[in-house]
Amino acid sequence: MRTIKSLILLALIVLPVFVSAQRARITFSFAMNQSGSQLSPDSIFVENLSSNCDTMIYSPANSLNVTKLSGIDDAKTAESQFGIESWYYDSSERAVSVMAFVQEEKVKVSVFDISGRQCCSGNFSVDYGYNIFRVYGCPRSAVVTLSSGGKEASVSVVNADDVSSHCSIQYAGSGENISAKSLYSNGAFVFHSGDQMRFTMYSTTCGDVISREILSNPTENTEYTFDFTNVENIRPDLIVAYDSVVYMDSIRWTWQQVSGAEGYRYNLVDDYETSIDLGNVSTVRYEQTLDSSRTYMIYVWSYNSCGVSDVNRLYASTPAREVTDAEYDIATTGEENLRILNIFEQPDSVILRTPSINVDVTDTIWNYLANRMYQAARTTGVGIAAPQVGINRKVICVQRWDKGTMISHPWEFYFNPQIVEYSDSVVRRNDGCLSVPDGSEYPTIGGFSYRATWVIVTYYDVDGIFHEEKINHQYTAHIFQHEIDHLNAVMFFDRQVEENAYKYTIIEGDSYEGLPEIR
């Protein structure tokens, strides 16, 4: 067991408190103190013993925001962003309630089952700020998607109701009228300063449900930490510290032994079931033909009798090839925009169908290239990759529609980007490409592709700093997938038929209304 205790912020519940006839707000925040990092909370049961009411916070819902009942509502500040804040099963309504922050007057809400079939949808006029939508007859497992003002957000929900019926969506009003519902009483959850409260956190380890509870009479904002440090039978931590040695014909990774682990497994893909068991050996040799300027990766798990750790990705890169004269000329020569290659012409198509290699991120020549790529794409597209201007190197420019303002979104440059994780849900999206021009002299290619709703990307920024970032904004995630596909010699029309479709939840329909076509 680790001796260092880790603190994991789990949930936030904001409740109205009645003080001197003036309504104010009190915040309860919860954390788990534990040995290791692989024990996670399942839920928190909140009971007001004085008022005889209660409510539950479920995983994966990380927060339950209840109306702030005071003179100033900071929920309507400019800093608030569009998105789904939380969801919970509302037992009193026998419905799934979803709370979202909306910055427009119109919002579309859609519900899909796990097969990707749309069960119901509706268009609503709402208030600026927090709004609640109730889904009746929701499938047991579903995806709720909201789109408004060119933005989109989705959340996976679980319906605890045993009876399912025709799916329908009801607008339940703005957040100013929302209160947490009791699971076992008909009234709303209420709190008065100094009420006797009992908080119970539940978790599961080795198949057993364990819990810790705290009794308190809070009068002000309070953080409660549940102590699970004496729990010993938990799955092992993931592998964190490792070293790699790159040879001419192989890579060897070696990692630190994980406390509590009985063994390790690895795979070249993120699939534990087909992984190779190493026993208690904490090293693996990756033996394949290695190319220069490439990043290689393996997936590694630790395991014991209680279960399997979270997966970790181990990386190693072969040395970057030096800049060629042709690459230098394209990156630095000329004041006019770079010519964008055409997939229908030779030798352009050969370059576009050749996998790209890494760059040396310390070489400033690639910053010059990225700036010229931006100039070539900024007026007609939302992203561009180096192969589209004739260089098979891993450099992309992406317009970040998840950043900036409603009318201005910044362009950012990424070196050696790689997608390391995709969502299980994919959506059939409108698509296009600067390298697939329109015109009667060229074949007509349908403008759509299947894209993950979110991705995790690793990359180096313009300062040479390594990042791992989850791109949740679906439109921006689409751009990243499109441009990184170019680095792997994949065109958007290759994604029109998704292999192994049974692995994914395919949500039909394009929700990018009002946004530019991906080009």
Side-chain angles (χ1 to χ4, degrees):
M1 284 298 166
R2 286 186 176 182
T3 57
I4 300 176
K5 300 177 181 179
S6 61
L7 195 63
I8 299 179
L9 183 63
L10 170 68
L12 182 68
I13 179 169
V14 182
L15 302 172
V17 52
F18 302 91
V19 182
S20 302
Q22 181 180 2
R23 295 180 177 181
R25 181 176 69 173
I26 188 168
T27 300
F28 302 144
S29 57
F30 304 95
M32 170 184 277
N33 204 5
Q34 60 173 335
S35 300
S37 63
Q38 302 296 292
L39 189 65
S40 60
D42 296 331
S43 59
I44 298 175
F45 188 38
V46 181
E47 301 171 89
N48 188 329
L49 302 179
S50 299
S51 299
N52 193 29
C53 60
D54 48 64
T55 190
M56 183 79 82
I57 303 174
Y58 290 101
S59 180
N62 292 324
S63 63
L64 176 60
N65 295 315
V66 184
T67 310
K68 175 182 177 181
L69 301 175
S70 62
I72 301 175
D73 188 353
D74 64 359
K76 296 186 177 181
T77 60
E79 291 78 16
S80 299
Q81 298 295 318
F82 172 81
I84 296 175
E85 296 294 320
S86 64
W87 70 270
Y88 62 94
Y89 173 69
D90 189 334
S91 61
S92 64
E93 295 287 339
R94 302 193 74 177
V96 173
S97 291
V98 177
M99 183 168 70
F101 186 88
V102 182
Q103 295 169 305
E104 304 288 334
E105 295 181 352
K106 302 290 184 180
V107 63
K108 181 180 180 181
V109 184
S110 303
V111 179
F112 304 88
D113 64 19
I114 58 174
S115 69
R117 179 181 64 88
Q118 180 172 291
C119 302
C120 56
S121 66
N123 295 289
F124 302 92
S125 297
V126 300
D127 294 330
Y128 181 100
Y130 290 104
N131 291 270
I132 295 290
F133 304 90
R134 292 198 185 104
V135 182
Y136 296 92
C138 181
R140 184 60 62 95
S141 298
V143 175
V144 179
T145 298
L146 280 77
S147 55
S148 175
K151 296 184 179 181
E152 183 178 278
S154 298
V155 65
S156 297
V157 302
V158 177
N159 183 13
D161 194 349
D162 291 332
V163 179
S164 61
S165 58
H166 179 70
C167 176
S168 64
I169 305 168
Q170 182 185 89
Y171 176 50
S174 66
E176 295 175 277
N177 302 316
I178 298 303
S179 58
K181 296 293 185 180
S182 169
L183 294 180
Y184 301 111
S185 63
N186 293 326
F189 188 93
V190 296
F191 173 78
H192 303 81
S193 180
D195 278 355
Q196 178 73 13
M197 303 292 292
R198 179 164 58 203
F199 308 102
T200 307
M201 179 181 286
Y202 295 93
S203 185
T204 305
T205 179
C206 274
D208 295 326
V209 176
I210 55 177
S211 64
R212 299 290 185 270
E213 69 176 42
I214 296 174
L215 290 172
S216 177
N217 298 83
T219 59
E220 59 184 3
N221 292 350
T222 309
E223 179 178 282
Y224 296 97
T225 301
F226 297 86
D227 188 4
F228 285 81
T229 54
N230 62 343
V231 179
E232 296 182 354
N233 295 324
I234 63 175
R235 60 195 181 110
D237 284 342
L238 59 81
I239 294 164
V240 178
Y242 69 93
D243 294 312
S244 62
V245 179
V246 179
Y247 301 95
M248 292 296 294
D249 58 349
S250 65
I251 300 172
R252 188 185 68 202
W253 283 278
T254 302
W255 55 87
Q256 291 184 2
Q257 291 275 347
V258 176
S259 177
E262 298 173 1
Y264 308 93
R265 300 179 72 97
Y266 86 97
N267 206 340
L268 302 185
V269 295
D270 188 5
D271 186 356
Y272 182 79
E273 296 300 323
T274 61
S275 62
I276 299 172
D277 193 352
L278 297 170
N280 60 2
V281 176
S282 58
T283 185
V284 65
R285 192 179 183 99
Y286 181 98
E287 297 189 29
Q288 287 192 356
T289 302
L290 302 183
D291 294 330
S292 63
S293 307
R294 292 199 183 279
T295 299
Y296 294 88
M297 176 176 61
I298 60 172
Y299 297 84
V300 182
W301 300 262
S302 58
Y303 65 85
N304 62 18
S305 58
C306 281
V308 180
S309 72
D310 294 337
V311 66
N312 198 2
R313 299 177 292 269
L314 310 190
Y315 302 93
S317 298
T318 53
R321 184 190 302 166
E322 292 185 359
V323 179
T324 66
D325 291 341
E327 290 172 335
Y328 185 87
D329 290 342
I330 293 174
T332 62
T333 303
E335 297 180 357
E336 297 181 356
N337 287 345
L338 292 169
R339 184 182 73 86
I340 296 177
L341 273 57
N342 186 336
I343 188 63
F344 300 118
E345 297 180 356
Q346 294 285 2
D348 292 8
S349 61
V350 175
I351 297 174
L352 290 168
R353 287 303 194 177
T354 299
S356 296
I357 61 177
N358 285 346
V359 300
D360 180 351
V361 296
T362 65
D363 194 330
T364 58
I365 189 64
W366 306 118
N367 290 328
Y368 284 103
L369 174 65
N371 275 287
R372 296 203 70 201
M373 290 165 55
Y374 159 69
Q375 294 297 332
R378 66 187 181 91
T379 58
T380 54
V382 293
I384 190 171
Q388 293 181 273
V389 298
I391 296 182
N392 287 124
R393 293 281 193 158
K394 291 190 174 182
V395 180
I396 63 173
C397 302
V398 169
Q399 189 175 23
R400 294 296 298 260
W401 283 75
D402 54 344
K403 298 181 180 181
T405 66
M406 292 292 291
I407 60 174
S408 177
H409 306 282
W411 285 71
E412 295 182 354
F413 307 150
Y414 303 96
F415 305 118
N416 302 340
Q418 186 174 7
I419 297 177
V420 296
E421 188 172 342
Y422 295 84
S423 67
D424 287 336
S425 298
V426 297
V427 185
R428 186 177 184 268
R429 301 294 194 193
N430 284 336
D431 215 334
C433 185
L434 295 172
S435 294
V436 184
D438 300 323
S440 58
E441 67 269 37
Y442 302 117
T444 300
I445 297 179
F448 69 86
S449 61
Y450 286 99
R451 297 294 180 183
T453 57
W454 56 260
V455 291
I456 296 178
V457 183
T458 61
Y459 60 83
Y460 290 88
D461 63 20
V462 293
D463 297 317
I465 299 174
F466 181 81
H467 298 269
E468 180 173 309
E469 181 180 0
K470 184 175 184 179
I471 311 298
N472 284 307
H473 186 259
Q474 292 189 26
Y475 184 66
T476 306
H478 183 169
I479 302 173
F480 269 94
Q481 291 170 80
H482 182 110
E483 303 310 333
I484 292 176
D485 267 357
H486 275 303
L487 304 182
N488 297 315
V490 176
M491 301 296 293
F492 82 86
F493 46 81
D494 299 330
R495 299 292 189 186
Q496 292 182 337
V497 179
E498 182 65 51
E499 295 182 1
N500 302 322
Y502 65 90
K503 291 185 177 181
Y504 305 98
T505 299
I506 299 177
I507 305 173
E508 293 289 338
D510 190 339
S511 58
Y512 293 164
E513 297 177 6
L515 295 179
E517 181 185 72
I518 303 292
R519 291 186 65 85

